[in-house]
Structure formats: structure tokens, C-alpha cells
């Protein structure tokens, strides 16, 4: 939403617009009343939803509501090529049983990898059990994808973004390695704990967990696996940056029991109480000490807070912008969409125009005996 454009120069949304979009439209997307219990017995298994292709009328209604809002926001003609910056959007393709990353660079290379923007957003947002999978075609109709939530297989896409930059020498010709990058990774919080039951005193309800069966364990297992995969990517990226990691790679993640206040439906509850809890959790997260992964040293609590680290990144971006303004050669050379080839209709029209002009010249020749009057 922050990179899509209509005129090729300015994005159609600002950061404030995206927040308002989610806050105002969320009630239409998530119509189910969130359960106060953390048990998954009253909710359909998300794996079952993938296999059966849906979870009832409620999922269909929410899917239709989201598709309507996506089409109104992006229109039907805006594609991955209509972005002002390089963009990577992950999802999981059920047809190939593999992660899929929608890329602006790939879309500019071939129409076979160019998809409509509203469909891309719809696919990466298609959380199984809440929204239906998104079957989509590329602009030229040659590539088919059945996409579901990108967080299933790529809860932390930092490594994918770094790999894309290091291998995209056409757009990033001066990037030699990770030492030339500044990476800010924003986590979505450790949500696994929010799916576990608690007692009235706020402690883990161990006796209730002992009675859980397969159905109750589905959501906690999925979120535990997602959190573990995100942490693994964090460690791998920290190892890749090595000694320059503390200055060139920053990971901001909500830690501690703050996530438990929002409940199991923290990311899908549109109620004002949950929104308020999320705002309070965000403020608390910014005040927390930053936690960084150390080369073969586990994790280390930094002396700076997450807010101070964000201020540091902002300052580095300002300095980099000033340095780039003094350079002769551009640091980043974004690909531009190639001119569309002229089809048969245009050639036929050109032939007819040429024939008409030729006949007109012949008529003048017969009337005046020469073409000097032209």
C-alpha cells in the first residue's frame, strides 16, 4: 500500500492512510465475534480449511468484503509494475506447495510474473480459516497461483529481501555485501503465548493444557512454529552481518507477556478494546530494551530501547540521503517498465492510414499534375 502508484511518482497511500484503512475496514473483514476462550475447539482447523477450500458462510462473507475493499483501494488495472520502489510480497502457493514471492523486478522482466495489485494483497492476506485462498492469473494469463497467507511459510522475510538485493545487480549495482546494507526488521510479536490458556491469576493453566487433544493444539502449534521460524531467520541474518550487525542490522520485536493481554485473536479482533490493547502494547514495545542476536553468543539485551534504535535508523537514512545527493552516479537504478509492443490492431490501423494517404496523394497528382502544392 505504501508503494503503489497511479502517476509513477507518488504512492497512493501514506503511512497514516494504511493505519486508518485497517482500523476502519477491519470490522467488515472480521465479522465473527472473537471467542473469550483460548481453546480452538469452537474454531475450525486451519489445515482443514485449506483442504476443504473454506470454512463456512462466515469465511465467504469476510472474503467478499475484503475483495471489495481491495478493488476499491487499488482498482483493477494497477499491477506490480505500478510501484515506486522495489517491493517483495510473500505468499504460499498451494498449486506448487512452495512459498512464492511477488516481485516488482520479476514483473518488469515478464508479464508472466506481473499480477494485479489487489489480488496480490488479497493472496498474502488470505489466512486459512478466516479468508478463502486466492486463485489468481498473471496479467497475460500464463501463470496461475492459488495463494494463502504469506506468514505460513515466511513469517520473517528479512533473508529473502537481503538475497534479492544482493543478486539484483541491475537495480543495486554498488551493493557488494551485507556491509553495504542497513536492514530494519519489524517483528509482529511472539503470538504463541496468546493461544495458551491462563488462570485467573495470569499464570499458565497447566492442568487445562494437559487435557488438550489434537484439535486444541492446532493453533498453538502453528504459531509456535511460526515464531520459531522467525527467530531462526533472525539468528541467520545476525550471523551473516557478523561484527557489523549491531550497526547495520536491527530487529524490533515485542517480547515478554505483553502479547497475552490481547488474547488468541489479537490479529483479527476489530473491537475497540483489542485496538486499544494493541496501541498500549506498541507503546510498551517501543520502551522495551532492544534484544539482538550475537554471533555464536545467543541473545543480548541492548542498552538502548527499541524507540532509540528506530531513531538511530532514521538518522542513518537521513545521512544516506544526503550522501546520495552528492554522488554523480545513482546508487540505486530502478528498473522501468518497457514500452508495450504494438499489436496487430495498431499495425493494421497504420496500414490503413498509409493507404489512405497514398490514395490522397495520387488524387492530387491526377488533379494538379504534380505534388508541388503539398
Amino acid at each position: 500500500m505504501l508503494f503503489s502508484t497511479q502517476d509513477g511518482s507518488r504512492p497512493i497511500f501514506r503511512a497514516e492512510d494504511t493505519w486508518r484503512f485497517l482500523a476502519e475496514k477491519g470490522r467488515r473483514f472480521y465479522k465473527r465475534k472473537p471467542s473469550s476462550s483460548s481453546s480452538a475447539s469452537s474454531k475450525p482447523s486451519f489445515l482443514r480449511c485449506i483442504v476443504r477450500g473454506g470454512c463456512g458462510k462466515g469465511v465467504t462473507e469476510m472474503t467478499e468484503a475484503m475483495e471489495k475493499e481491495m478493488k476499491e483501494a487499488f482498482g483493477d488495472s494497477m499491477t506490480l509494475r505500478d510501484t515506486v520502489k522495489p517491493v517483495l510480497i510473500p505468499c504460499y502457493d498451494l498449486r506448487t506447495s512452495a512459498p512464492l514471492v511477488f516481485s516488482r523486478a520479476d514483473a518488469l522482466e515478464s508479464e508472466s510474473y506481473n499480477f494485479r495489485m489487489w489480488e496480490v494483497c488479497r493472496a498474502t492476506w488470505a489466512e486459512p480459516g478466516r479468508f478463502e485462498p486466492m486463485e489468481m492469473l498473471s496479467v497475460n494469463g500464463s501463470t496461475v497461483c492459488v495463494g494463502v497467507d504469506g506468514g505460513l511459510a515466511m513469517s520473517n522475510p528479512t533473508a529473502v529481501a537481503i538475497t534479492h538485493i544482493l543478486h539484483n545487480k541491475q537495480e543495486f549495482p554498488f551493493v557488494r555485501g551485507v556491509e553495504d546494507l542497513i536492514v530494519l526488521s519489524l517483528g509482529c510479536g511472539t503470538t504463541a503465548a496468546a493461544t495458551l490458556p491462563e488462570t485467573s491469576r495470569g499464570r499458565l493453566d497447566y492442568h487445562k493444557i494437559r487435557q488438550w487433544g489434537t484439535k486444541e493444539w492446532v493453533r498453538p502449534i502453528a504459531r509456535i512454529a511460526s515464531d520459531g521460524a522467525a527467530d531462526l531467520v533472525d539468528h541467520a541474518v545476525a550471523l551473516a552481518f557478523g561484527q557489523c550487525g549491531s550497526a547495520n542490522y536491527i530487529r524490533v520485536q515485542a517480547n515478554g507477556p505483553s502479547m497475552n493481554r490481547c488474547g488468541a485473536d489479537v490479529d483479527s479482533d476489530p473491537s475497540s478494546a483489542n485496538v486499544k490493547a494493541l496501541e498500549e502494547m506498541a507503546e510498551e514495545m517501543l520502551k522495551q530494551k532492544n534484544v539482538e542476536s550475537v554471533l555464536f553468543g545467543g541473545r543480548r539485551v541492548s542498552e538502548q530501547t527499541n524507540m532509540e534504535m528506530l531513531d538511530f535508523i532514521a538518522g542513518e537514512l537521513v545521512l544516506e540521503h544526503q550522501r546520495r545527493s552528492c554522488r554523480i552516479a545513482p546508487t540505486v537504478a530502478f528498473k522501468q517498465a518497457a514500452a508495450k509492443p504494438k499489436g496487430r490492431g495498431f499495425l493494421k490501423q497504420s496500414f490503413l492510414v498509409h493507404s489512405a494517404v497514398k490514395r490522397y496523394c495520387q488524387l492530387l497528382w491526377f488533379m494538379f499534375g504534380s505534388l508541388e502544392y503539398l
Side-chain angles (χ1 to χ4, degrees), residues 1-13 74 77-85 104 117:
M1 297 181 71
L2 296 177
F3 299 100
S4 300
T5 180
Q6 292 179 339
D7 56 7
S9 59
R10 303 290 298 179
I12 59 176
F13 292 100
F74 296 100
S77 60
M78 187 175 296
T79 67
L80 284 169
R81 293 186 174 185
D82 301 315
T83 49
V84 294
K85 300 287 185 179
R104 175 182 183 270
M117 188 58 70

Short mmCIF file of all heavy atoms in Angstrom, two decimals, residues 1-13 74 77-85 104 117:
data_model
loop_
_atom_site.label_atom_id
_atom_site.label_comp_id
_atom_site.label_asym_id
_atom_site.label_seq_id
_atom_site.Cartn_x
_atom_site.Cartn_y
_atom_site.Cartn_z
N MET A 1 0.82 -1.20 0.00
CA MET A 1 0.00 0.00 0.00
C MET A 1 0.86 1.26 0.00
O MET A 1 0.45 2.30 -0.52
CB MET A 1 -0.93 0.00 1.22
CG MET A 1 -1.93 -1.15 1.24
SD MET A 1 -3.03 -1.10 2.66
CE MET A 1 -4.05 0.31 2.24
N LEU A 2 2.06 1.16 0.58
CA LEU A 2 2.92 2.32 0.67
C LEU A 2 3.71 2.57 -0.61
O LEU A 2 4.38 3.60 -0.72
CB LEU A 2 3.89 2.17 1.84
CG LEU A 2 3.27 2.11 3.24
CD1 LEU A 2 4.34 1.87 4.28
CD2 LEU A 2 2.52 3.39 3.54
N PHE A 3 3.67 1.65 -1.57
CA PHE A 3 4.50 1.79 -2.77
C PHE A 3 3.70 1.81 -4.06
O PHE A 3 4.25 2.11 -5.12
CB PHE A 3 5.52 0.64 -2.83
CG PHE A 3 6.45 0.62 -1.66
CD1 PHE A 3 6.25 -0.25 -0.60
CD2 PHE A 3 7.53 1.48 -1.60
CE1 PHE A 3 7.10 -0.27 0.48
CE2 PHE A 3 8.39 1.47 -0.52
CZ PHE A 3 8.18 0.59 0.52
N SER A 4 2.42 1.49 -4.02
CA SER A 4 1.60 1.51 -5.23
C SER A 4 1.37 2.94 -5.68
O SER A 4 1.19 3.84 -4.86
CB SER A 4 0.26 0.81 -4.99
OG SER A 4 0.46 -0.54 -4.61
N THR A 5 1.37 3.15 -6.99
CA THR A 5 1.24 4.50 -7.52
C THR A 5 0.37 4.51 -8.76
O THR A 5 0.27 3.49 -9.47
CB THR A 5 2.63 5.08 -7.86
OG1 THR A 5 2.47 6.40 -8.39
CG2 THR A 5 3.35 4.22 -8.88
N GLN A 6 -0.23 5.64 -9.02
CA GLN A 6 -1.03 5.83 -10.23
C GLN A 6 -0.33 6.72 -11.24
O GLN A 6 -0.49 6.55 -12.44
CB GLN A 6 -2.39 6.42 -9.87
CG GLN A 6 -3.30 5.47 -9.09
CD GLN A 6 -4.63 6.11 -8.72
OE1 GLN A 6 -4.76 7.33 -8.69
NE2 GLN A 6 -5.62 5.28 -8.44
N ASP A 7 0.45 7.69 -10.75
CA ASP A 7 1.13 8.62 -11.65
C ASP A 7 2.61 8.31 -11.83
O ASP A 7 3.31 9.01 -12.56
CB ASP A 7 0.97 10.05 -11.14
CG ASP A 7 1.48 10.23 -9.71
OD1 ASP A 7 2.07 9.28 -9.16
OD2 ASP A 7 1.29 11.32 -9.15
N GLY A 8 3.11 7.26 -11.15
CA GLY A 8 4.50 6.88 -11.30
C GLY A 8 5.47 7.66 -10.44
O GLY A 8 6.68 7.42 -10.50
N SER A 9 4.99 8.58 -9.61
CA SER A 9 5.89 9.39 -8.80
C SER A 9 5.55 9.36 -7.32
O SER A 9 6.44 9.34 -6.48
CB SER A 9 5.87 10.85 -9.29
OG SER A 9 4.55 11.38 -9.21
N ARG A 10 4.26 9.37 -6.98
CA ARG A 10 3.85 9.41 -5.59
C ARG A 10 2.97 8.21 -5.27
O ARG A 10 2.13 7.81 -6.08
CB ARG A 10 3.06 10.69 -5.29
CG ARG A 10 3.81 11.97 -5.61
CD ARG A 10 4.95 12.21 -4.66
NE ARG A 10 4.49 12.37 -3.29
CZ ARG A 10 5.30 12.56 -2.26
NH1 ARG A 10 6.61 12.61 -2.46
NH2 ARG A 10 4.83 12.70 -1.04
N PRO A 11 3.14 7.60 -4.08
CA PRO A 11 2.27 6.48 -3.70
C PRO A 11 0.86 6.95 -3.43
O PRO A 11 0.63 8.11 -3.07
CB PRO A 11 2.94 5.93 -2.44
CG PRO A 11 3.72 7.08 -1.88
CD PRO A 11 4.17 7.88 -3.06
N ILE A 12 -0.09 6.06 -3.58
CA ILE A 12 -1.50 6.42 -3.38
C ILE A 12 -1.87 6.43 -1.91
O ILE A 12 -2.90 6.98 -1.53
CB ILE A 12 -2.43 5.46 -4.15
CG1 ILE A 12 -2.21 4.02 -3.69
CG2 ILE A 12 -2.21 5.58 -5.65
CD1 ILE A 12 -3.15 3.03 -4.34
N PHE A 13 -1.04 5.80 -1.06
CA PHE A 13 -1.31 5.77 0.38
C PHE A 13 -0.10 6.30 1.14
O PHE A 13 1.04 6.15 0.71
CB PHE A 13 -1.60 4.34 0.86
CG PHE A 13 -2.89 3.77 0.35
CD1 PHE A 13 -2.90 2.90 -0.72
CD2 PHE A 13 -4.09 4.10 0.95
CE1 PHE A 13 -4.08 2.37 -1.20
CE2 PHE A 13 -5.28 3.57 0.49
CZ PHE A 13 -5.28 2.70 -0.59
N PHE A 74 -7.18 -0.31 -4.85
CA PHE A 74 -6.15 -0.41 -5.88
C PHE A 74 -6.69 -0.34 -7.31
O PHE A 74 -5.93 -0.10 -8.24
CB PHE A 74 -5.36 -1.72 -5.71
CG PHE A 74 -4.60 -1.80 -4.43
CD1 PHE A 74 -5.10 -2.53 -3.36
CD2 PHE A 74 -3.39 -1.16 -4.27
CE1 PHE A 74 -4.40 -2.62 -2.17
CE2 PHE A 74 -2.68 -1.23 -3.09
CZ PHE A 74 -3.19 -1.96 -2.04
N SER A 77 -6.76 -2.21 -12.63
CA SER A 77 -5.68 -2.10 -13.62
C SER A 77 -4.30 -1.97 -12.99
O SER A 77 -3.29 -2.18 -13.67
CB SER A 77 -5.93 -0.89 -14.53
OG SER A 77 -5.98 0.31 -13.78
N MET A 78 -4.20 -1.63 -11.71
CA MET A 78 -2.91 -1.45 -11.06
C MET A 78 -2.23 -2.80 -10.84
O MET A 78 -2.84 -3.73 -10.31
CB MET A 78 -3.08 -0.71 -9.73
CG MET A 78 -1.76 -0.33 -9.07
SD MET A 78 -2.05 0.65 -7.57
CE MET A 78 -2.83 2.11 -8.28
N THR A 79 -0.96 -2.91 -11.25
CA THR A 79 -0.22 -4.16 -11.14
C THR A 79 1.06 -3.95 -10.34
O THR A 79 1.34 -2.85 -9.85
CB THR A 79 0.12 -4.71 -12.54
OG1 THR A 79 1.06 -3.82 -13.17
CG2 THR A 79 -1.13 -4.83 -13.40
N LEU A 80 1.86 -5.01 -10.24
CA LEU A 80 3.13 -4.93 -9.54
C LEU A 80 4.08 -3.94 -10.20
O LEU A 80 4.99 -3.41 -9.55
CB LEU A 80 3.79 -6.31 -9.49
CG LEU A 80 3.21 -7.32 -8.49
CD1 LEU A 80 3.77 -8.70 -8.75
CD2 LEU A 80 3.50 -6.88 -7.06
N ARG A 81 3.90 -3.69 -11.48
CA ARG A 81 4.75 -2.72 -12.17
C ARG A 81 4.45 -1.29 -11.72
O ARG A 81 5.31 -0.41 -11.87
CB ARG A 81 4.56 -2.84 -13.68
CG ARG A 81 5.07 -4.15 -14.27
CD ARG A 81 4.98 -4.14 -15.77
NE ARG A 81 5.58 -5.33 -16.37
CZ ARG A 81 5.71 -5.53 -17.67
NH1 ARG A 81 5.26 -4.62 -18.53
NH2 ARG A 81 6.28 -6.63 -18.13
N ASP A 82 3.26 -1.07 -11.20
CA ASP A 82 2.86 0.28 -10.79
C ASP A 82 3.28 0.53 -9.34
O ASP A 82 2.46 0.82 -8.47
CB ASP A 82 1.35 0.45 -10.95
CG ASP A 82 0.91 0.25 -12.39
OD1 ASP A 82 1.57 0.78 -13.29
OD2 ASP A 82 -0.10 -0.46 -12.60
N THR A 83 4.57 0.43 -9.08
CA THR A 83 5.11 0.69 -7.75
C THR A 83 6.31 1.63 -7.89
O THR A 83 7.05 1.56 -8.87
CB THR A 83 5.55 -0.61 -7.05
OG1 THR A 83 6.36 -1.38 -7.95
CG2 THR A 83 4.35 -1.44 -6.65
N VAL A 84 6.51 2.48 -6.90
CA VAL A 84 7.56 3.49 -6.97
C VAL A 84 8.90 2.97 -6.46
O VAL A 84 9.93 3.58 -6.70
CB VAL A 84 7.16 4.75 -6.18
CG1 VAL A 84 5.98 5.43 -6.83
CG2 VAL A 84 6.83 4.40 -4.73
N LYS A 85 8.89 1.84 -5.75
CA LYS A 85 10.11 1.26 -5.20
C LYS A 85 10.10 -0.25 -5.42
O LYS A 85 9.04 -0.84 -5.65
CB LYS A 85 10.22 1.55 -3.70
CG LYS A 85 10.26 3.02 -3.32
CD LYS A 85 11.59 3.66 -3.67
CE LYS A 85 11.63 5.10 -3.18
NZ LYS A 85 12.92 5.76 -3.49
N ARG A 104 8.52 -6.86 -7.88
CA ARG A 104 8.43 -5.82 -8.90
C ARG A 104 9.46 -6.06 -10.00
O ARG A 104 9.17 -5.88 -11.19
CB ARG A 104 8.67 -4.44 -8.28
CG ARG A 104 8.71 -3.29 -9.28
CD ARG A 104 9.01 -1.98 -8.58
NE ARG A 104 8.98 -0.85 -9.49
CZ ARG A 104 10.04 -0.40 -10.16
NH1 ARG A 104 11.20 -1.00 -10.01
NH2 ARG A 104 9.93 0.64 -10.96
N MET A 117 -2.42 -5.77 -8.38
CA MET A 117 -2.03 -5.46 -7.01
C MET A 117 -3.10 -5.87 -6.00
O MET A 117 -2.78 -6.36 -4.91
CB MET A 117 -1.72 -3.97 -6.88
CG MET A 117 -1.13 -3.58 -5.54
SD MET A 117 0.39 -4.47 -5.16
CE MET A 117 1.50 -3.73 -6.36
#
